[in-house]
Amino acid sequence: MHGKVRRSGLMLWACCFFCTLPVLATPLQADSDEFPIIMMSAELGTHDGMRAMGIDFVHTYAYPSEEFFNSAAANGLRVMVNLNGVKWAQEPDGVEQIRNLVRQFRNHPALGFWYLADEPDLAGVTVDDLTRLYTAIKEETPEVLVANAEAWSEHWTAYQGAQDMLMTDHYPVENNDPFPLQDITIPMHFLARALALDDQPVIPILQSFNWQVFRPQTPSRLPVAEELRYWCYASIALGARGLGWYSHYEGLRSPGGAQWFANTFAPVVSEVRQFVDAVAPAHHPTPIAGADAANVYLAIWKRSGTNWVVLVNNLNTGNTVSVSLEGQVADGPLIPWGSTAGSPAAVVGGTLQPVTLAPYEVKVWTQDDSGPLRILSVEAIDITATSAHVHFVFNQHAQGQVEYGRDTGYGNWTTKEESFNYADHTQPLAGLSPATTYHYRVHGWDVAGVEVVSDDHQFTTLGGEPDAGVDADAGADAGADAGTDAGAGADAGADAGADAGADNGVQRPDDGADGAVDAGADGGDGAGSDAESDTEISGDCGCRADTPSPLSLLLLLLAGWMLLVARRRP
């Protein structure tokens, strides 16, 4: 019997394991919506941490192996397969060697695309020799993209016929000068030149190493977060097909490299991953004319009721910018997204109002494009004798607040939410009287301050006697995790200043009241509390509703004894 149980458990574990393995897509397609973020020299043993950094493609300069491919597949990654074309282009049997490599891995589920040659111009590889290899690869796998990487060398444009995709590389942080003294714009100028060539997709390979690993006698440093952020968003605004990083291995060899990947690189690139997923296809932005004159990159993505705006300063000094967005973005505020610093920007009369940027600073904003604020639904849920929750949904992210009372004079308010992070809201009402009908309505505000108000709604609390010491009209502690007093407005720091046990209803809190807190402060769903919050109704009984009874304790002891006897039975 025990053997059957163990085997059943093993089968269940195996089913769970294989069912949770990542399902990999087909090789990268030129016309797909995906935006690859590639880590070069991501060696075996490091793949499990790549996804958390926003990476979804890996590469190795070592000879491709089944083990490397399987490791990538197990971690939901695909492989940019290094074919070492610079070597094979100069070997008599190079074409056959390339064919063998391609045949070995062309059906592996982790195949992403072929990486044929690294800087062939600098390596002295002729266009004809590389074209022979490219032709052989396409005969074997006509549907799989072939990429070459090029430095900004004399003949870097000559290899267009030997590739489907171009990767540009330039690594500008070459010494120890602090940010922003080094010119970090050259990779973007190179990328812009490459994008202007023809319709081939272009992926820039960006710097994730310290030049000191190659030049031990020359002090240098790793890029700082501002530089990484500049390269990423400038590349995306220009229309890059993805991002590459050179390299994980050399970055780890750099002084402090492991900590740098965890504390500097990962926060930036994982946010970029969130951005490109939100605006997919990220490589089809709408560039804004006239941005060059202001020394910025400026692009817009219109996606599913949301406008996304990226503004990148190309100067190593401050830069105040005002650009026309007429016909692209509606008048109104632009809400900072991600790690974008500062208060909302605004578009007035079709023009982005002056924005002051720090050196190489990036701003990412969103703007709701779903039309005027509307309340889509309102309902009372989780109704008990002394509490309830009001669930309401807007057509866009908005602030929310509930007004309630025993009649249509209401008189009580929940805490107004400060953030615009949610469209779906839930707010708690507590300290209610049993078997009592309550009226309530929802108020909402968009980012421009325009208010909408719902019709009157009603619910009736469950029957029973009121708890001792609880004044039902006072609307005592609302139980929100943020610690606000929804009924009495008596948050410890609230300017409303009402006592939680006061007999009168709470006046509507000032929008700027110290006691007003973001109802989404617990990070859940904007509800401001769990559906079964830590509400504690004050009373004179001196006990909590969740105190176990003697009978409950006896049953628990009995169950424990029975479990002990069962475990000892042979």
Side-chain angles (χ1 to χ4, degrees):
M1 181 66 180
H2 290 298
K4 289 183 180 178
V5 171
R6 290 193 183 98
R7 284 193 295 274
S8 298
L10 182 60
M11 291 174 65
L12 178 61
W13 175 88
C15 289
C16 292
F17 174 79
F18 287 109
C19 287
T20 55
L21 280 176
V23 178
L24 297 174
T26 57
L28 177 67
Q29 303 297 306
D31 58 353
S32 71
D33 287 355
E34 63 181 311
F35 189 91
I37 301 183
I38 308 153
M39 181 59 74
M40 302 183 73
S41 292
E43 307 305 334
L44 278 168
T46 67
H47 293 172
D48 58 346
M50 290 294 154
R51 274 285 182 179
M53 294 195 297
I55 303 299
D56 57 352
F57 280 67
V58 290
H59 156 274
T60 178
Y61 282 106
Y63 191 87
S65 69
E66 195 77 20
E67 185 181 10
F68 187 91
F69 272 77
N70 292 342
S71 172
N75 288 282
L77 305 167
R78 280 178 285 172
V79 181
M80 179 179 88
V81 188
N82 190 61
L83 296 178
N84 202 4
V86 168
K87 173 184 177 181
W88 298 122
Q90 302 175 68
E91 296 289 338
D93 62 345
V95 169
E96 191 56 35
Q97 294 290 347
I98 286 286
R99 287 187 185 275
N100 290 337
L101 276 173
V102 169
R103 289 167 183 166
Q104 183 178 356
F105 297 109
R106 63 186 174 187
N107 294 319
H108 199 286
L111 172 62
F113 62 93
W114 306 115
Y115 180 56
L116 176 55
D118 187 63
E119 300 179 347
D121 183 36
L122 291 180
V125 176
T126 67
V127 172
D128 288 344
D129 285 341
L130 199 64
T131 302
R132 285 190 298 108
L133 301 184
Y134 169 77
T135 301
I137 296 168
K138 299 305 287 186
E139 288 172 354
E140 299 290 338
T141 55
E143 75 286 356
V144 182
L145 297 177
V146 179
N148 292 315
E150 289 288 357
W152 205 342
S153 56
E154 184 178 0
H155 304 294
W156 68 275
T157 62
Y159 298 86
Q160 295 294 99
Q163 65 199 26
D164 304 312
M165 184 163 63
L166 172 61
M167 304 181 77
T168 56
D169 64 38
H170 186 87
Y171 313 121
V173 180
E174 297 191 53
N175 57 52
N176 211 27
D177 289 348
F179 175 83
L181 298 183
Q182 301 194 51
D183 183 359
I184 62 172
T185 65
I186 297 174
M188 299 304 100
H189 297 318
F190 189 11
L191 172 61
R193 287 280 299 276
L195 287 166
L197 288 179
D198 56 26
D199 291 333
Q200 282 190 348
V202 184
I203 295 179
I205 304 174
L206 307 171
Q207 182 176 353
S208 60
F209 70 96
N210 183 337
W211 272 105
Q212 198 165 356
V213 300
F214 301 108
R215 308 165 183 168
Q217 306 307 316
T218 303
S220 186
R221 60 172 176 83
L222 287 158
V224 298
E226 291 86 349
E227 290 163 334
L228 299 178
R229 191 169 159 83
Y230 169 83
W231 291 327
C232 289
Y233 285 104
S235 298
I236 298 167
L238 284 168
R241 186 62 182 79
L243 300 174
W245 295 97
Y246 181 84
S247 73
H248 193 245
Y249 175 76
E250 302 299 356
L252 290 177
R253 289 179 60 209
S254 303
Q259 293 79 10
W260 179 83
F261 273 113
N263 300 328
T264 301
F265 182 90
V268 172
V269 180
S270 60
E271 180 189 290
V272 170
R273 166 57 64 194
Q274 294 176 43
F275 175 81
V276 297
D277 288 348
V279 303
H283 55 286
H284 291 308
T286 300
I288 301 302
D292 289 349
N295 292 303
V296 295
Y297 297 123
L298 179 58
I300 293 173
W301 293 256
K302 296 185 177 185
R303 304 286 187 265
S304 302
T306 300
N307 294 327
W308 296 78
V309 181
V310 168
L311 178 66
V312 182
N313 183 16
N314 275 326
L315 301 178
N316 66 351
T317 61
N319 188 8
T320 299
V321 178
S322 179
V323 180
S324 174
L325 296 176
E326 189 169 4
Q328 299 295 336
V329 176
D331 282 2
L334 301 174
I335 306 304
W337 180 86
S339 58
T340 296
S343 57
V347 178
V348 178
T351 299
L352 175 66
Q353 295 302 286
V355 175
T356 299
L357 301 168
Y360 297 126
E361 186 178 7
V362 174
K363 298 281 192 183
V364 182
W365 297 297
T366 62
Q367 182 190 65
D368 193 280
D369 195 29
S370 57
L373 179 63
R374 302 189 309 278
I375 300 172
L376 301 181
S377 64
V378 177
E379 62 176 333
I381 60 174
D382 302 329
I383 300 170
T384 71
T386 58
S387 67
H389 287 77
V390 176
H391 176 242
F392 51 100
V393 179
F394 299 116
N395 68 319
Q396 59 181 259
H397 290 188
Q399 294 174 322
Q401 189 176 23
V402 178
E403 186 182 12
Y404 66 101
R406 293 191 177 190
D407 54 39
T408 55
Y410 307 107
N412 301 303
W413 295 82
T414 60
T415 300
K416 181 180 177 181
E417 297 169 11
E418 291 183 338
S419 81
F420 293 91
N421 295 336
Y422 310 100
D424 191 308
H425 303 259
T426 303
Q427 291 201 344
L429 313 180
L432 308 178
S433 294
T436 302
T437 296
Y438 283 87
H439 294 255
Y440 68 97
R441 62 183 180 179
V442 166
H443 296 250
W445 294 265
D446 65 17
V447 292
V450 176
E451 182 179 9
V452 294
V453 183
S454 74
D455 294 335
D456 178 73
H457 295 263
Q458 301 176 35
F459 67 88
T460 301
T461 53
L462 302 183
E465 295 297 325
D467 291 338
V470 176
D471 187 335
D473 286 336
D477 183 1
D481 289 342
T484 61
D485 187 338
D491 187 325
D495 288 343
D499 189 303
D503 291 333
N504 60 336
V506 182
Q507 297 303 308
R508 176 173 180 169
D510 234 1
D511 290 356
D514 294 337
V517 293
D518 182 1
D522 267 346
D525 57 0
S529 71
D530 190 22
E532 295 294 333
S533 63
D534 299 331
T535 304
E536 186 174 314
I537 305 300
S538 301
D540 295 334
C541 62
C543 65
R544 287 181 58 95
D546 57 355
T547 303
S549 67
L551 179 59
S552 299
L553 292 173
L554 180 61
L555 290 173
L556 285 171
L557 288 171
L558 180 61
W561 176 79
M562 292 177 69
L563 181 61
L564 182 62
V565 170
R567 289 176 64 87
R568 289 182 175 177
R569 183 178 298 170

